[in-house]
Amino acid sequence: MYTTQAGGSLNVRVITKAPDTVQDFGQTHLVVDTQRFELMASEVKQPRDGDRLVLGGVRYVLHGEALIDRDGLVWTVSASIWPEG
């Protein structure tokens, strides 16, 4: 389930990607667990920072800028787990 900040909800198809990335902080290199999702542009017109996604009972919040592929078919978004509460 995809939910916009405005409160609209959509059932969407999602491809989950969770690659580890290396983040540099000065002289330190940290391996960081990331969550990335691919969304069909035909289902989600413009993903925005703060939109939410629920997959398998786990809630995520989108952050950063969504990137669209060169054909305009698939959005790639980054997200983090939404804290319980």
Side-chain angles (χ1 to χ4, degrees):
M1 176 72 65
Y2 184 90
T3 306
T4 66
Q5 287 186 38
S9 295
L10 306 164
N11 285 318
V12 297
R13 293 173 285 175
V14 177
I15 296 174
T16 303
K17 297 183 174 204
D20 288 341
T21 60
V22 176
Q23 300 287 325
D24 294 324
F25 294 99
Q27 299 288 327
T28 304
H29 303 288
L30 300 174
V31 177
V32 179
D33 182 28
T34 62
Q35 298 291 329
R36 290 204 177 113
F37 302 102
E38 291 185 352
L39 307 169
M40 299 298 296
S42 62
E43 296 174 343
V44 179
K45 298 301 178 195
Q46 177 66 55
R48 300 204 186 278
D49 189 67
D51 287 354
R52 297 176 305 278
L53 188 62
V54 178
L55 295 172
V58 179
R59 299 181 311 164
Y60 299 92
V61 61
L62 276 55
H63 56 79
E65 184 177 347
L67 302 173
I68 195 154
D69 70 337
R70 68 179 182 168
D71 296 321
L73 300 174
V74 178
W75 289 104
T76 300
V77 297
S78 295
S80 55
I81 293 177
W82 185 263
E84 293 296 323

